[in-house]
Amino acid sequence: LHEGKNDIVVKVTVSDAAGNTLTVDHAQTVTLDSHAEASITVDPITADNTINARESKHISVTGQVEGDARDGDKVTLEINGHTATTDVRMIDGHLGYDVQVDKSWMHQGHNDVNVSVSVSDAAGNQLTTPVVTHPVYVDTKIDAVITINPVTADNVVNDREANNITFTGKV
């Protein structure tokens, strides 16, 4: 048998002691379904896949699943040793998932979001997809330093210098 539909025909010819012969055949289609198939994707987490301070208040990881995936199959998400599991469900007309992520799961800089889906097809075959890794960056801090140069040589403004004071410095 090969994967998918197979046409089987059985033909039997019998004879009895009196010499009567009968041939009977029967055709049947048998389907071989020996494995489940599925795939999973990760949508962009932000427009540029860099989470800023404002975006870090609500982090949602979403994506789609395809193949033999069905409502209720399990999606596993892992970020920096933290794991969440959610159900596959219909989202905007397709099967997908939506996991709310605590911002403490991510650190400044590069983070990998890892997802997989475990499915069971109608024939009872089970499969967990290979992990799909989606990079995301966290940049929630801003640094700045400002210095003011001395206003005068001794940093004291006298009457002569008071008419033209210039402040300079570095940012």
Side-chain angles (χ1 to χ4, degrees), residues 72-90:
D73 286 338
K74 300 297 181 198
V75 171
T76 302
L77 174 137
E78 186 275 331
I79 303 171
N80 297 323
H82 300 277
T83 303
T85 303
T86 192
D87 290 338
V88 170
R89 61 186 173 93
M90 285 301 270

Side-chain angles (χ1 to χ4, degrees), residues 13-113:
T13 303
V14 294
S15 329
D16 63 12
N20 299 308
T21 305
L22 176 65
T23 301
V24 179
D25 59 30
H26 178 75
Q28 184 172 334
T29 300
V30 174
T31 301
L32 176 61
D33 183 352
S34 63
H35 63 277
E37 294 180 9
S39 63
I40 188 167
T41 62
V42 181
D43 296 332
I45 295 172
T46 64
D48 60 0
N49 278 313
T50 298
I51 299 170
N52 63 32
R54 182 182 41 79
E55 294 163 335
S56 73
K57 292 176 181 20
H58 177 79
I59 302 170
S60 181
V61 177
T62 61
Q64 294 185 30
V65 293
E66 294 181 349
D68 290 321
R70 298 183 286 181
D71 255 342
D73 286 338
K74 300 297 181 198
V75 171
T76 302
L77 174 137
E78 186 275 331
I79 303 171
N80 297 323
H82 300 277
T83 303
T85 303
T86 192
D87 290 338
V88 170
R89 61 186 173 93
M90 285 301 270
I91 301 174
D92 297 329
H94 59 38
L95 287 174
Y97 63 94
D98 185 347
V99 179
Q100 301 306 306
V101 175
D102 188 301
K103 70 179 180 180
S104 69
W105 289 16
M106 294 193 185
H107 54 262
Q108 287 292 115
H110 178 87
N111 296 265
D112 284 330
V113 174

Side-chain angles (χ1 to χ4, degrees), residues 117-156:
V117 63
S118 297
V119 302
S120 180
D121 70 7
N125 300 306
Q126 297 180 343
L127 168 74
T128 297
T129 62
V131 170
V132 172
T133 300
H134 182 84
V136 65
Y137 299 88
V138 175
D139 184 2
T140 59
K141 298 181 182 193
I142 189 165
D143 295 315
V145 176
I146 188 167
T147 60
I148 299 174
N149 294 331
V151 178
T152 63
D154 60 0
N155 234 5
V156 174

